[in-house]
């Protein structure tokens, strides 16, 4: 058959690849995961929550920064409201064992736990918290347990130079005023929040916005090498790239519009552009969309990402912005795409997908199982990433970029890699 030049390559997904096991000089527990969500900013757990109106507000952002990760406040609200969320994070205590809102005042929970030892504020043991079915006790117990595991592993809160919790904030590249207000409120970095940044007007607007703020601006979303080369050449001191188009669990762009760049391939593309520019490792890549757990996150890192961004990962946690819904005996939380009908009805999200697409839904809305405290997800990601990078032979994120390898796997191989020939216990 004649090559018409229309098929320009392959677009690999997390599912298409496996991590190649490599010689590891260190134990997984020694793998150092510190990394950068944006240029000049360091966190201990390379995981960032998505700026979505059922995911990240101040409450999740506070908890993630206390646990070594970071959140990006969504922008589907007025400038004043978004500024208030940022301020609340900057004013929150950094202490990871900070008593949860529902805890008795003056009571602290210390680890190691199971059962959980409760101490008073002077450190004296005040009792033992046992799992008592569902409810706030179970939540507190789990939260204390996972927090204790992270603290014992050496994870420290994500802090700015003044000892305050780190926080990112989402902006449209067209709203420089919002960007300036968020910087004044104390946001540590900004993340542009448009589905297809590689657009003449959006890039022009971003050039202007980046000149008007002093904090790093993570530019996205993009998916190609060309977009990274073009934007890096036009926008001064880019603070990072947010990459991946239509891989998100709630995305329907790939179906409705047919356009997509799976997150893993987007990372590979942008990393190759940055290598060409001699900026690989300097401009952080945030892998956004479709990350289901630490295995996917590790693949993104090996491909060249500094951090992974997750919406679905955090949508089910207590601290997310989604509403709790009970269906029968089970608890769920609402989760929706920012281009879903519900999100776009709130006027601030409507420009995410360019003006004409106001009439076009590019996201879905639904429910995800309630999954307890955010600390449980952070611990799962942290220890899972350490294990995954351990398999790859890398002792750090940088080593994973340099030495980590991925291999393509066939669909039959994928079947073999996933659990098979067993009826799973409920
Ligand atoms: P996950 O898989 O973590 O993906 O739930 C979250 C990411 O998906 C993007 N996003 C959307 N993409 N339509 C889309 O095509 C939408 O309505 C939508 N809302 C969010 C976004 O990049 C987010 O971080």
């Amino acid at each position: 058959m004649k090559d018409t030049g229309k098929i320009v390559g392959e677009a690999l997904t997390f599912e298409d690849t496996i991590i190649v096991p490599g010689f590891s000089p260190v134990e997984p527990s020694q793998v150092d995961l510190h990394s950068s969500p944006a240029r000049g900013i360091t966190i201990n757990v390379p995981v960032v929550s998505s700026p979505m109106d059922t995911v990240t507000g101040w409450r999740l952002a506070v908890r993630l920064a206390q646990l070594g990760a970071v959140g990006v406040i969504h922008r589907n609200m007025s400038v004043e409201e978004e500024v208030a969320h940022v301020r609340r994070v900057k004013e929150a205590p950094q202490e990871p064992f900070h008593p949860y809102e529902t805890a008795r005042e003056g009571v602290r929970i210390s680890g190691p736990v199971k059962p959980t030892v409760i101490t008073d504020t002077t450190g004296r043991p005040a009792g033992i918290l046992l799992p008592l079915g569902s409810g706030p006790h179970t939540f507190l117990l789990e939260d204390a347990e996972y927090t204790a595991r992270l603290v014992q592993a050496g994870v420290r809160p994500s802090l700015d130079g003044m000892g305050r919790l780190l926080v990112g904030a989402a902006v449209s590249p067209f709203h420089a005023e919002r960007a300036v207000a968020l910087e004044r409120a104390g946001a540590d970095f900004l993340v542009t929040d448009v589905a297809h940044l590689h657009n003449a007007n959006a890039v022009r607007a971003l050039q202007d916005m980046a000149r008007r703020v002093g904090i790093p601006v993570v530019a996205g979303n993009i998916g190609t090498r060309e977009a990274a080369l073009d934007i890096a050449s036009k926008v001064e001191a880019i603070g990072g790239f947010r990459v991946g188009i239509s891989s998100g669990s709630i995305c329907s762009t790939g179906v409705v519009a047919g356009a997509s760049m799976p997150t893993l391939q987007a990372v590979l593309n942008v990393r190759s552009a940055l290598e060409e520019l001699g900026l690989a490792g300097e401009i952080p890549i945030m892998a956004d969309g479709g990350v289901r757990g630490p295995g996917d996150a590790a693949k993104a890192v090996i491909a060249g990402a500094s951090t992974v961004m997750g919406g679905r990962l955090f949508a089910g946690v207590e601290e997310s912005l989604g509403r709790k819904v009970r269906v029968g005996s089970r608890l769920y939380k609402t989760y929706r795409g920012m281009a879903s009908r519900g999100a776009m009805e709130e006027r601030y999200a409507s420009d995410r997908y360019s003006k004409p697409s106001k009439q076009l839904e590019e996201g879905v809305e639904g429910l995800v199982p309630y999954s307890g405290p955010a600390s449980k997800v952070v611990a799962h990601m942290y220890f899972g990433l350490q294990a995954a990078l351990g398999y790859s032979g890398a002792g750090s994120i940088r080593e994973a970029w340099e030495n980590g390898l991925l291999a393509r796997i066939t669909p039959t191989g994928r079947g073999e890699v996933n659990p098979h020939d067993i009826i799973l216990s409920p």
Side-chain angles (χ1 to χ4, degrees):
M1 214 176 296
K2 195 163 175 268
D3 178 358
T4 62
K6 274 289 175 194
I7 303 289
V8 293
E10 272 187 318
L12 292 176
T13 67
F14 295 125
E15 283 272 290
D16 293 322
T17 56
I18 45 100
I19 293 171
V20 178
F23 171 73
S24 180
V26 295
E27 286 304 308
S29 61
Q30 295 170 306
V31 174
D32 176 359
L33 292 178
H34 86 269
S35 195
S36 295
R39 223 173 184 169
I41 293 178
T42 305
I43 55 178
N44 281 298
V45 185
V47 178
V48 182
S49 68
S50 288
M52 298 172 75
D53 65 5
T54 46
V55 182
T56 316
W58 67 269
R59 199 167 161 219
L60 180 61
V62 164
R63 204 59 195 125
L64 291 183
Q66 286 171 339
L67 298 166
V70 76
V72 179
I73 305 290
H74 78 88
R75 67 178 181 91
N76 199 11
M77 54 185 149
S78 69
V79 177
E80 294 72 28
E81 286 168 306
E82 193 176 354
V83 158
H85 278 264
V86 167
R87 289 224 170 95
R88 245 180 128 155
V89 182
K90 297 313 282 185
E91 286 159 8
Q94 47 149 287
E95 161 69 31
F97 284 110
H98 162 62
Y100 187 69
E101 274 173 297
T102 54
R104 261 193 302 139
E105 238 185 59
V107 169
R108 283 167 174 255
I109 301 169
S110 71
V113 288
K114 223 176 205 176
T116 310
V117 179
I118 309 283
T119 58
D120 65 21
T121 41
T122 66
R124 254 193 338 235
I128 290 180
L129 195 62
L130 295 165
L132 296 169
S134 58
H137 281 92
T138 305
F139 172 77
L140 281 173
L141 179 75
E142 277 199 312
D143 197 22
E145 177 182 339
Y146 290 105
T147 303
R149 285 194 202 169
L150 286 163
V151 170
Q152 278 159 11
V155 173
R156 297 281 166 265
S158 306
L159 303 177
D160 66 16
M162 291 158 73
R164 302 175 304 176
L165 295 175
L166 289 176
V167 64
V171 284
S172 154
F174 296 101
H175 295 159
E177 299 304 328
R178 185 183 282 252
V180 170
L182 291 164
E183 179 181 21
R184 276 204 204 113
D188 297 281
F189 62 98
L190 299 172
V191 178
T192 65
D193 192 41
V194 281
H196 180 44
L197 179 68
H198 201 203
N199 159 291
N201 284 332
V203 174
R204 222 171 290 127
L206 177 63
Q207 284 174 312
D208 174 54
M209 198 184 80
R211 271 195 290 265
R212 292 181 57 185
V213 293
I215 50 177
V217 180
V218 179
N221 279 39
I222 61 166
T224 64
R225 195 177 141 273
E226 292 71 24
L229 289 174
D230 190 32
I231 295 168
S233 73
K234 289 181 177 153
V235 182
E236 264 168 61
I238 201 91
F241 281 116
R242 177 182 177 194
V243 316
I245 293 183
S246 193
S247 276
S249 59
I250 34 48
C251 297
S252 56
T253 303
V255 179
V256 178
S260 161
M261 188 53 73
T263 301
L264 182 71
Q265 186 67 49
V267 174
L268 291 165
N269 294 346
V270 172
R271 174 81 183 180
S272 112
L274 294 178
E275 269 165 10
E276 193 174 320
L277 294 170
L279 292 170
E282 270 180 55
I283 297 187
I285 297 173
M286 194 179 272
D288 174 27
V291 173
R292 293 156 304 176
D296 290 346
K299 290 175 189 176
V301 166
I302 289 170
S306 292
T307 58
V308 294
M309 174 172 262
R312 171 66 180 84
L313 270 184
F314 293 106
V317 303
E318 173 70 29
E319 299 92 330
S320 77
L321 285 172
R323 215 168 12 90
K324 267 193 205 143
V325 177
R326 188 173 284 284
V327 181
S329 62
R330 290 183 191 274
L331 262 187
Y332 294 84
K333 288 199 92 171
T334 55
Y335 181 41
R336 67 186 185 187
M338 295 310 296
S340 62
R341 177 176 306 193
M344 289 206 296
E345 270 164 16
E346 316 242 342
R347 67 194 171 99
Y348 298 100
S350 55
D351 56 3
R352 183 178 152 83
Y353 295 80
S354 79
K355 288 185 184 92
S357 65
K358 259 187 194 175
Q359 285 109 41
L360 188 65
E361 287 164 36
E362 291 182 37
V364 298
E365 23 197 326
L367 299 175
V368 297
Y370 174 76
S371 54
S375 52
K376 189 172 173 180
V377 177
V378 176
H380 180 59
M381 293 300 289
Y382 182 79
F383 296 114
L385 258 167
Q386 281 192 318
L389 293 192
Y391 275 109
S392 83
S396 67
I397 303 269
R398 188 163 286 277
E399 279 180 30
W401 295 337
E402 283 160 12
N403 309 326
L405 293 173
L406 300 175
R408 196 173 315 176
I409 188 162
T410 59
T412 44
R414 170 55 54 197
E416 193 175 291
V417 165
N418 291 339
H420 55 92
D421 297 326
I422 178 172
I423 300 165
L424 292 174
S425 313

